Amino acid sequence: MLNCIKIAFVISLCCFSFLLSAQTVTFYVSKSGNDNAAGTSSETAVATIQQAKKNVRTYIQQHKFDTMKVLIASGEYEIQEPLVFEPGDAGKENAVVIYSALPGNKVVISGGKKVSGWKKYNKNTWVADIKNIDTANRNFKDLFINSERRQKSRLPETGYYRVKGFPDGSTPYNKPGKRFEYNADDIQANWKNLQDIEVVVYHFWTDTHLSIASVDAKHNIVSFKNPSGKAFTDDFNTDGARYIVENVWESLKSAGQWYADRKNGKLYYIPFPGENMNDVEAVVPVAKSFIECKGDALTEKYVNNIYFEHLNFKYANSPLPEGSVNNAQGSLDLPSAITLKAVKNCSFNHCSISNLSGYAFDIQEGCINNNFHHNSIANISGGAFKISGGTLNDNPLLRTHDNVIADNEIAHYGINYPSAVGILLRHAYNTIIEHNSIHDGYYTGISVGWEWGYQPSVSRGNIIAFNHIYNIGKGQLSDMGAIYTLGVSPGTIIKNNLIHDVDAHSYGGWGIYNDEGSSHILVENNIVYNTKFAAYNIHYAKEIVVRNNIFAIAKLQQLNRTRIEPHQSVFFENNIIYWKEGVLLDGNWDTLSYNYYLNPNLPDNGTKRMNHTFTMDYNLYYNPGLSIDSIVFYKQSWQNWHKLGNDNHSLYTDPLFIDPLHNNFSLQSNSPVFSLGFKPIDIKGVGPRN
């Protein structure tokens, strides 16, 4: 026993000695540096981040207990290939690796290529040679002038064309199609560089990007190299889908437009008045990504404990994979500028990611306990985050969980791919998404889950809280919501979010949207207002608890449920529904009888006959322009609605908001809703914290 104590003491003493000997070592990077220098002081700085990374990797091999900092001086650091981090580049719990700008310095990591040598082509148009960009990289989607995105030449110049006919049929909705009929003169067979032209179709909840294979001018039929995954209808109707035609030489007419002649390596641009092409900074993104962290979850070789701080990432070209036309929901196929695979305890904090042609982050399989705080993600063609790991059918080591996305500003997303999602959380659990500001996108703000139906899912325990989501949808696509859920998600909570100004094209534009199979989710303390369709919507769901929310001034409908099923879809209580127009309860709020397994000690094999598929009570409803006798509660008067067992303790009265005309839904102290058990919702903490 005494020997054991001595051995334990020696081990403890050795560990303590290691901790005492551990130190912080700093490497320096500067635009004026030299990659052959030591890099251990500002005077001996290396010139590239790539070289600093090599130095860190070499140092780690001999000094595993030291914290390492790579401090980068002001400047723009151009990359053609991503910075790749592997387990050999990683830190440890008490010996992290930090990549950061020097205090007070502005560091830009750029994947762009500057375009210079502009010459006058005609009265309004300038041209530059881009033969120095290899042919494979001339598929860039964007041109930036002085960091501002410019419009690719397109037809029509504003608005949309409409598909005229469907030579391959228009049903079912997911019928693949490789051609459609266009209206005469909308598409021309003799356009220059027809192979460089792209048709973008907006239909249902997707935007499909189609390269032209041929044009039949006699029959007005355009055919594509790859098929669309959906019919060329607007949505579930017979109207032709909207579409535009991009990169058309013949349409280059207006200031701010550009055209790429990829075959001949020429870039054309019409400057705005006051833009001097000899002085502007013109940039096209060429690097596919900035950072790739590559671990191996199955062998438990992770990229650990690397922190990226105070860095600005600009210009990445992340085109769709060969053969993809962006059929997948949420623009799932679209690559990202920063990719993490089998990464643990890493972080991106106080960084800026902008001017991208794809998603910003892709957090893949085996990513655990990573943090993304106080980042600005703006002006991006796709979304900000994709998060997904292994499913229930995969090895548990591949599952992604316990990551935090907090206090980020996500603005102006989905510019070229409007179906992209602000934060797309698919197969993951115990994720915290909180205190983010998500705005000015064209589709869903936050999407949670990725199973259509009631089959088991790895998605559980995700927290969506204190986010400010607004000004999204913009009437571009259908079937979307500010917060969207899919599948069985036990322990998932949607709380204290502020949602407003959600618009959709044909249908959708909901506030909180529980889609196919959403189950066992708590929705509470949210404020949702000014949505085109329902502030709260269920497609089909099971045992959702919706309580203590404010749903206000939606336009066409207030609450919606699409399907009736033999179970409880929702427990809806202690909510305030305040509206001035539209239907109160839309969709299908009928009920049916079904057997529910309740207790093995009961007769009839433990089942009980149930007569309700939803429960609604202790709510407050109010329309300031209508009396209670004028309100229709899904085909029923208020009295008959009660007789059906609904809202027996609910009120129809003014909730006494402080200033609903100016969207202040705080309650006066004498509000009658407090008698129902409603608790005030504090939105002061919504959005990013300082």
Side-chain angles (χ1 to χ4, degrees):
M1 183 67 176
L2 183 59
N3 288 335
C4 290
I5 294 173
K6 288 181 178 179
I7 292 170
F9 176 75
V10 170
I11 292 173
S12 299
L13 187 60
C14 290
C15 292
F16 183 65
S17 298
F18 274 126
L19 290 174
L20 285 179
S21 63
Q23 59 181 327
T24 298
V25 177
T26 303
F27 295 93
Y28 293 85
V29 182
S30 172
K31 291 293 291 182
S32 61
N34 186 329
D35 276 353
N36 293 319
T40 53
S41 69
S42 57
E43 291 77 18
T44 63
V46 297
T48 64
I49 302 171
Q50 292 90 330
Q51 184 59 46
K53 188 175 78 69
K54 290 178 183 177
N55 291 351
V56 168
R57 188 183 184 100
T58 300
Y59 189 89
I60 286 173
Q61 294 173 358
Q62 298 178 357
H63 306 83
K64 296 182 178 181
F65 296 95
D66 289 350
T67 290
M68 280 154 284
K69 290 184 178 180
V70 175
L71 297 181
I72 309 168
S74 289
E76 184 172 300
Y77 296 82
E78 294 183 359
I79 60 171
Q80 299 295 313
E81 298 294 331
L83 298 164
V84 178
F85 293 85
E86 298 174 329
D89 302 301
K92 291 180 170 52
E93 183 176 358
N94 295 310
V96 301
V97 178
I98 302 170
Y99 288 81
S100 176
L102 275 162
N105 284 232
K106 183 177 181 180
V107 174
V108 176
I109 299 173
S110 172
K113 183 81 171 177
K114 290 183 174 64
V115 180
S116 58
W118 291 92
K119 297 178 181 178
K120 207 73 178 287
Y121 176 76
N122 60 28
K123 180 180 178 181
N124 298 316
T125 307
W126 291 67
V127 62
D129 195 291
I130 55 171
K131 290 188 177 71
N132 62 336
I133 300 175
D134 65 80
T135 305
N137 285 331
R138 292 180 198 164
N139 62 347
F140 51 84
K141 299 282 290 186
D142 298 297
L143 168 67
F144 294 90
I145 302 293
N146 296 332
S147 293
E148 294 182 355
R149 190 187 301 261
R150 293 295 185 252
Q151 173 68 57
K152 190 185 298 184
S153 60
R154 54 159 281 183
L155 289 171
E157 191 167 338
T158 60
Y160 306 94
Y161 290 143
R162 283 276 187 175
V163 171
K164 182 179 180 181
F166 319 100
D168 296 325
S170 61
T171 57
Y173 85 93
N174 56 354
K175 179 182 179 65
K178 289 188 73 172
R179 59 181 183 157
F180 64 69
E181 180 185 359
Y182 58 87
N183 288 294
D185 299 327
D186 286 355
I187 296 176
Q188 302 291 333
N190 61 351
W191 276 338
K192 179 180 178 179
N193 295 333
L194 199 64
Q195 73 280 358
D196 286 345
I197 294 173
E198 188 172 77
V199 175
V200 184
V201 183
Y202 305 98
H203 48 164
F204 301 90
W205 50 90
T206 53
D207 50 283
T208 309
H209 298 249
L210 302 161
S211 297
I212 294 177
S214 64
V215 176
D216 180 349
K218 181 179 179 180
H219 300 97
N220 295 340
I221 301 293
V222 58
S223 299
F224 305 107
K225 295 177 182 176
N226 297 293
S228 165
K230 296 183 180 64
F232 291 116
T233 57
D234 204 37
D235 53 56
F236 297 99
N237 54 36
T238 58
D239 296 335
R242 298 158 296 144
Y243 72 94
I244 63 173
V245 189
E246 287 191 323
N247 204 47
V248 180
W249 166 251
E250 288 78 4
S251 71
L252 185 64
K253 298 176 181 179
S254 301
Q257 287 188 333
W258 61 277
Y259 169 80
D261 183 345
R262 297 186 170 91
K263 180 180 178 181
N264 296 303
K266 299 290 184 181
L267 180 62
Y268 298 84
Y269 175 65
I270 301 177
F272 283 113
E275 280 185 344
N276 184 337
M277 295 308 294
N278 294 315
D279 295 332
V280 301
E281 181 183 75
V283 178
V284 295
V286 292
K288 298 295 189 294
S289 59
F290 301 123
I291 289 176
E292 295 179 6
C293 295
K294 295 181 176 181
D296 187 338
L298 290 178
T299 59
E300 298 187 79
K301 294 178 180 178
Y302 295 94
V303 177
N304 282 303
N305 297 289
I306 303 179
Y307 301 167
F308 300 92
E309 300 174 349
H310 303 285
L311 301 174
N312 298 283
F313 299 91
K314 292 180 73 172
Y315 308 121
N317 182 36
S318 306
L320 288 165
E322 186 68 30
S324 172
V325 298
N326 204 41
N327 282 322
Q329 181 170 316
S331 291
L332 181 62
D333 289 349
L334 194 60
S336 299
I338 299 172
T339 302
L340 283 67
K341 181 179 180 181
V343 173
K344 290 177 71 174
N345 305 316
C346 289
S347 67
F348 284 80
N349 294 331
H350 298 279
C351 291
S352 169
I353 304 99
S354 64
N355 295 1
L356 310 180
S357 61
Y359 268 85
F361 289 96
D362 190 358
I363 304 164
Q364 300 180 355
E365 63 187 43
C367 287
I368 304 168
N369 198 36
N370 301 291
N371 289 274
F372 305 83
H373 283 275
H374 293 97
N375 300 294
S376 171
I377 305 170
N379 197 18
I380 52 178
S381 290
F385 291 90
K386 292 192 294 183
I387 311 104
S388 190
T391 70
L392 287 178
N393 297 321
D394 296 317
N395 188 309
L397 289 172
L398 297 176
R399 294 177 191 165
T400 290
H401 56 90
D402 292 282
N403 297 291
V404 179
I405 299 171
D407 301 293
N408 301 289
E409 181 86 12
I410 299 169
H412 304 286
Y413 64 92
I415 293 172
N416 286 327
Y417 300 93
S419 61
V421 177
I423 300 176
L424 178 56
L425 179 66
R426 299 192 300 127
H427 302 293
Y429 63 91
N430 292 355
T431 311
I432 297 176
I433 301 174
E434 65 178 4
H435 292 283
N436 300 287
S437 177
I438 304 172
H439 61 92
D440 291 289
Y442 294 88
Y443 195 59
T444 293
I446 300 173
S447 181
V448 183
W450 205 249
E451 295 285 353
W452 282 257
Y454 298 114
Q455 63 271 26
S457 168
V458 76
S459 179
R460 57 178 169 81
N462 297 305
I463 308 299
I464 316 300
F466 293 97
N467 300 288
H468 189 189
I469 308 171
Y470 63 98
N471 198 26
I472 63 170
K474 297 176 180 284
Q476 183 75 14
L477 298 172
S478 300
D479 205 329
M480 49 80 62
I483 298 177
Y484 171 91
T485 66
L486 272 172
V488 178
S489 302
T492 291
I493 299 174
I494 300 170
K495 66 177 183 178
N496 294 91
N497 299 284
L498 177 62
I499 296 167
H500 58 92
D501 296 290
V502 181
D503 193 11
H505 169 57
S506 177
Y507 73 96
W510 293 297
I512 297 174
Y513 176 8
N514 296 137
D515 201 7
E516 302 189 32
S518 294
S519 301
H520 309 133
I521 298 171
L522 172 62
V523 179
E524 69 174 352
N525 295 332
N526 302 283
I527 298 178
V528 184
Y529 67 89
N530 198 24
T531 57
K532 181 176 182 179
F533 283 80
Y536 176 68
N537 174 67
I538 294 174
H539 180 186
Y540 65 88
K542 185 176 183 180
E543 296 174 1
I544 305 289
V545 175
V546 181
R547 68 188 183 202
N548 214 88
N549 302 280
I550 296 174
F551 301 122
I553 53 176
K555 293 179 175 64
L556 300 178
Q557 53 185 200
Q558 312 311 309
L559 306 174
N560 184 71
R561 186 181 75 160
T562 302
R563 299 195 188 189
I564 180 173
E565 298 178 284
H567 56 242
Q568 286 273 342
S569 59
V570 63
F571 300 93
F572 192 88
E573 66 177 18
N574 273 141
N575 301 288
I576 300 174
I577 301 89
Y578 179 91
W579 79 108
K580 295 182 179 180
E581 58 181 326
V583 179
L584 172 57
L585 290 164
D586 206 1
N588 188 341
W589 295 91
D590 288 318
T591 191
L592 53 78
S593 296
Y594 58 95
N595 289 328
Y596 180 78
Y597 183 80
L598 186 65
N599 188 318
N601 297 317
L602 292 176
D604 298 323
N605 296 316
T607 63
K608 182 178 180 180
R609 197 69 178 165
M610 307 294 286
N611 297 308
H612 278 81
T613 59
F614 63 91
T615 299
M616 304 180 82
D617 207 357
Y618 292 97
N619 301 296
L620 186 148
Y621 302 89
Y622 190 62
N623 183 323
L626 296 175
S627 66
I628 183 62
D629 295 333
S630 304
I631 305 299
V632 177
F633 287 80
Y634 188 67
K635 308 176 187 177
Q636 306 293 331
S637 66
W638 180 240
Q639 292 79 12
N640 288 337
W641 184 247
H642 287 339
K643 291 177 182 178
L644 294 174
N646 304 313
D647 283 307
N648 284 319
H649 301 92
S650 298
L651 298 175
Y652 183 86
T653 188
D654 190 340
L656 299 181
F657 292 130
I658 287 179
D659 189 5
L661 289 176
H662 296 94
N663 304 319
N664 183 349
F665 298 102
S666 301
L667 293 161
Q668 299 178 33
S669 60
N670 58 338
S671 171
V673 76
F674 294 136
S675 68
L676 300 175
F678 188 91
K679 304 298 181 186
I681 302 173
D682 184 4
I683 61 169
K684 293 179 182 177
V686 166
R689 297 161 291 193
N690 292 328

